[in-house]
Amino acid sequence: MKYYSYFPGCSLEATAVAYGLSTKAISGPLEMELIELEDWNCCGSTPYSSTEDLEAICIAARNLALAEKTGLDLVTPCSSCYCTLSRANSQLREYPELRDKVREILAAAGLEYKGQVRVRHLAEVLFNDIGLEFIKSKVVNPLSGLKVAPYYGCQLVRPTGFDDPENPQSLDLLIATLGAEATPFPLKSRCCGGSLIIPEMDLALGLIHQLLESATTNGAQCVATVCPLCQTNLDAYQGIVNSKFKTRYDLPVLFFTQLLGLALGIAPKELGFDKNIISAERVLAPFTTAARSVRET
Amino acid sequence: MGVKAYFMINMKGGGNGHADALADLEAMPEVEFVAPVSGQYDFMVKVDAPTGVVQVANKILEKEWVKHLDVLKIEPHIPKPFLEEVCSIPSGESINWCAQCGMCSASCPNVAQMDYSPRKIIALIRAGKREQVLTSNTMSVCASCYLCTARCPEEVKITELMHALECLAVRHGLRGGRTPTTIMHRAFTESIKKNGRVHEVGLMFRFYLRTNPFAALRLSTVGLKLFSHGRMPLRARKIKGIEQIKAIIDKAQALGGA
C-alpha cells in the first residue's frame, strides 16, 4: 500500500464530482491510500494570482504547510490545483525574499512551511509510482476496441510537467494498458479556454470547437481528460458549441479515472457515469455489462 | 510612500543621555534609521515624511533634549520606472532575456483577440508605456495555457508576466473591474476570502449579476444540465480554518507587494 496526502480541490466537490468518485473508487484496487488533507482551502488558481499575487502565494502555501505536517506527497487530480500549488512551491524555493515574507505571513496564522512537500498530479503518480505493469495486472475488463482521444490539456504538462509539454505520451500508454486504443489527437495538449468560459465565453467556445473537431475527425468515440475544467468545458458546453457552430457533436468526455475504473471492473455507478452530460452509455455499453458480470463473479 | 529626508541633530547638555536619545529617535514611526555621529553633530537620522519634511522636523524639535536640527538632504519621491517595477516582481525579471523573436505570439491560441501580442507587451514594457500596457485587454484573454512559456527559447516566463501585469493593473486601479475577466477574478477571490473555498454557483451568480444578467440566459441550459446531473451544489462550504485565511490576508496586505 502506498500513502498520499490527497488534495481534491473545489471542483471535485461540484462540477467534477465524478472525478472525485472515480478517483476514490480506483485507489483501493490500485493499492493507494489517499488521505484527504484536513481542512484544505482553495488553491487560489489563476484568478487569485492575477489579482493579488502575494496573497495568492500565501493562500496556496497554507495547504503546503498543512501537507508538510503529514510527511506525505501531496497528490491532486486537478490540473489547475497541481499547477498553482507547484508554482507556489517553486516560487518559494526560487525567491528567498519572497520566502521570508511568506513565512512571516504564515506565522501570523500559526503556520510554518519549510519547503519540503512534493506536489504531484494523480496521473503522474499512477504512471510513475503505481506503474503501467501493475495497472495491467489489475485489468479484468479490457476496453478492447474502444477509441479514446487522450486529452492532456495545458497545466498537467506545462509549465513544469513529467511528460513532453507538447506531445505527451503517458495518457496514450495508460489508455493502451486498459486494452483501449488511443487515437491520434493533434490538439491533445491544447487549451480548452479554462475559466475564460465565464468572462470570455465566445473565445473559449472557439477553442472547444477545435478540440471536438480534432477528436472526432481522428475517429475518437470518447475523450479522456485529466482536468475538471477541461471536462466541464467540453461536456457541459458541447450543446452551446453545436448551436453556435451548427455542428452535431455527441462526444462523451470522461475522466481518465472513470475509464480506468471500468477496466478494473468497478460498477459504473461508483464511477459517476451518471454525472456526465453527454451520455457515455451507448459507447460504453459492451464494457458496462461486462463490468457488472465481472463484479458479480 | 512619501519624501525621504536626512536630518543632522545636536543634543543639549554636551551629549549626556546619548543612549536614551537614540532610543527616543528609533521609537518614532517616521524614522528609518539613526546613525550616531561625532564632531559638530550627535546624530544623523533618515526619515520617511509622508505628510511633509517640516512636520517631521518639528516633531523632533519638540523633544526636550534636542538643541538644534539641520536638514542635510531631501530626496523627492520618484515612482519606479515601469520596467523596474515589472522586474521587481518574482518572474518579472525574466523579460530581460526577451529577444523579441515572437515565438510567444505565434503560439498563443488567443492572440487574435489581444490588443497587443505578448511580444509587443514586452516591447511596450521596455519602452515604459505603463498605461498602454496596463489598460490593454491582453492579460484578460490569456487563458494561462503556458504554451508561450514552454516554447520561449530565452525562458521568459510570459504567462507569469501576464498574471503580474494583471495584478499591477488592479493595484494601480487602471482597470478596477472594467473587463469581465477582472470581475470574474474578483468574485473568485471574494469566495475564497469568505469561505476558504470556491463555490461555483455563487461565483457565477455574482459574476452575471455584476456584468450582464441577461447573458446568463444563454447559459441557463448549461446550468440546468449541471444541476440536474448533481454537479452544482447550492450550498457553499466553509472551512474550519477560515480565521487563518483572514489572518493570512490581513498580514499580506500589511506587508504589501510581492
Side-chain angles (χ1 to χ4, degrees):
Chain A
M1 190 64 87
K2 292 189 165 73
Y3 296 88
Y4 301 94
S5 196
Y6 177 57
F7 188 91
C10 302
S11 296
L12 268 74
E13 303 199 321
T15 47
V17 65
Y19 202 5
L21 288 171
S22 51
T23 298
K24 287 236 170 83
I26 60 162
S27 62
L30 295 180
E31 299 180 12
M32 289 189 288
E33 179 87 34
L34 300 174
I35 305 156
E36 186 165 328
L37 185 66
E38 173 88 24
D39 206 40
W40 55 271
N41 60 269
C42 172
C43 69
S45 195
T46 311
Y48 216 138
S49 40
S50 302
T51 308
E52 221 326 309
D53 200 37
L54 181 62
E55 285 176 35
I57 288 183
C58 295
I59 289 289
R62 176 180 178 266
N63 293 311
L64 300 175
L66 295 177
E68 193 169 67
K69 284 191 214 158
T70 69
L72 301 168
D73 285 355
L74 186 63
V75 175
T76 177
C78 173
S79 300
S80 183
C81 297
Y82 169 66
C83 180
T84 308
L85 296 171
S86 318
R87 171 183 179 269
N89 227 0
S90 60
Q91 297 271 62
L92 291 176
R93 244 171 244 154
E94 227 172 295
Y95 299 94
E97 274 177 38
L98 178 69
R99 183 171 59 228
D100 292 345
K101 222 179 209 183
V102 170
R103 279 196 179 141
E104 194 182 337
I105 293 165
L106 288 179
L111 295 162
E112 195 194 351
Y113 181 51
K114 296 196 191 82
Q116 289 162 356
V117 167
R118 261 213 300 175
V119 177
R120 306 179 66 187
H121 191 283
L122 178 68
E124 183 262 318
V125 168
L126 288 175
F127 193 77
N128 286 331
D129 288 15
I130 308 301
L132 297 181
E133 282 299 308
F134 184 75
I135 294 172
K136 193 168 191 172
S137 74
K138 296 283 176 181
V139 170
V140 291
N141 180 26
L143 309 176
S144 312
L146 184 67
K147 293 190 159 85
V148 185
Y151 185 34
Y152 299 77
C154 307
Q155 298 188 342
L156 170 67
V157 289
R158 291 186 300 269
T160 46
F162 71 107
D163 207 334
D164 188 275
E166 292 201 53
N167 188 17
Q169 296 299 321
S170 48
L171 191 55
D172 292 60
L173 296 172
L174 184 67
I175 289 166
T177 303
L178 307 181
E181 182 194 327
T183 60
F185 188 25
L187 302 190
K188 57 164 66 164
S189 68
R190 292 308 180 92
C191 184
C192 72
S195 60
L196 286 186
I197 193 75
I198 300 176
E200 297 283 349
M201 182 158 64
D202 286 307
L203 187 94
L205 290 175
L207 299 176
I208 299 167
H209 174 226
Q210 288 172 13
L211 288 161
L212 294 170
E213 181 64 20
S214 172
T216 312
T217 51
N218 283 288
Q221 294 170 282
C222 63
V223 175
T225 92
V226 297
C227 171
L229 266 88
C230 295
Q231 201 282 338
T232 298
N233 282 5
L234 266 64
D235 183 31
Y237 288 83
Q238 207 171 113
I240 297 193
V241 166
N242 279 337
S243 52
K244 183 177 158 87
F245 295 95
K246 314 253 178 306
T247 48
R248 296 172 71 179
Y249 300 119
D250 183 24
L251 191 66
V253 184
L254 306 165
F255 290 108
F256 78 113
T257 44
Q258 290 180 296
L259 286 175
L260 183 50
L262 196 60
L264 297 176
I266 298 165
K269 181 85 184 136
E270 285 177 54
L271 298 167
F273 283 109
D274 55 328
K275 311 286 183 196
N276 289 71
I277 289 167
I278 308 294
S279 170
E281 221 170 282
R282 183 176 44 82
V283 175
L284 297 181
F287 314 108
T288 47
T289 31
R292 243 167 255 137
S293 57
V294 166
R295 216 177 154 74
E296 275 153 21
T297 52
Chain B
M1 274 190 290
V3 173
K4 310 270 182 192
Y6 294 84
F7 299 148
M8 304 302 289
I9 299 170
N10 276 113
M11 288 179 71
K12 286 178 189 163
N16 286 331
H18 195 271
D20 290 343
L22 180 69
D24 198 8
L25 285 170
E26 280 177 339
M28 288 178 67
E30 295 89 351
V31 170
E32 288 194 357
F33 72 76
V34 186
V37 290
S38 56
Q40 195 187 343
Y41 296 96
D42 294 297
F43 298 108
M44 185 183 78
V45 183
K46 184 183 181 190
V47 299
D48 183 28
T51 53
V53 177
V54 178
Q55 276 89 334
V56 181
N58 281 337
K59 210 172 154 187
I60 294 175
L61 281 167
E62 277 167 23
K63 296 183 186 297
E64 51 88 24
W65 54 265
V66 175
K67 184 173 156 198
H68 182 74
L69 180 150
D70 278 326
V71 177
L72 177 68
K73 185 180 165 194
I74 296 176
E75 278 179 356
H77 172 64
I78 303 163
K80 269 189 205 172
F82 191 36
L83 177 61
E84 201 183 304
E85 190 177 3
V86 171
C87 289
S88 69
I89 298 168
S91 301
E93 77 288 350
S94 70
I95 70 165
N96 285 320
W97 315 127
C98 174
Q100 290 286 297
C101 73
M103 178 56 99
C104 48
S105 306
S107 305
C108 178
N110 296 339
V111 71
Q113 277 78 25
M114 288 176 173
D115 289 341
Y116 308 110
S117 68
R119 181 193 64 77
K120 276 190 189 158
I121 284 285
I122 294 177
L124 286 166
I125 294 170
R126 287 172 164 178
K129 307 282 185 192
R130 184 196 305 262
E131 197 161 328
Q132 213 172 329
V133 169
L134 296 184
T135 54
S136 77
N137 81 338
T138 300
M139 303 82 83
S140 302
V141 294
C142 165
S144 304
C145 79
Y146 290 90
L147 198 54
C148 51
T149 306
R151 285 184 179 172
C152 176
E154 301 294 340
E155 297 181 22
V156 178
K157 297 171 186 167
I158 301 137
T159 312
E160 297 293 346
L161 176 69
M162 291 294 156
H163 299 170
L165 292 174
E166 189 87 25
C167 290
L168 282 182
V170 172
R171 202 180 298 166
H172 290 299
L174 276 173
R175 58 169 83 237
R178 256 176 275 165
T179 78
T181 306
T182 323
I183 297 174
M184 191 269 285
H185 288 172
R186 213 169 45 206
F188 193 99
T189 52
E190 281 165 10
S191 189
I192 299 176
K193 286 177 183 173
K194 190 162 165 250
N195 297 313
R197 291 198 187 160
V198 166
H199 180 237
E200 291 166 322
V201 179
L203 167 68
M204 289 175 84
F205 184 76
R206 272 202 294 270
F207 173 77
Y208 286 109
L209 210 62
R210 283 177 198 172
T211 51
N212 177 8
F214 295 104
L217 289 175
R218 190 177 173 198
L219 272 179
S220 56
T221 49
V222 175
L224 280 174
K225 279 182 199 161
L226 287 169
F227 181 70
S228 66
H229 285 77
R231 291 168 62 168
M232 277 212 156
L234 297 177
R235 265 191 52 215
R237 278 220 212 169
K238 195 178 224 151
I239 64 163
K240 284 183 275 170
I242 190 70
E243 290 308 320
Q244 286 184 328
I245 300 280
K246 288 191 177 129
I248 285 171
I249 290 168
D250 286 348
K251 187 74 184 176
Q253 284 173 353
L255 290 183

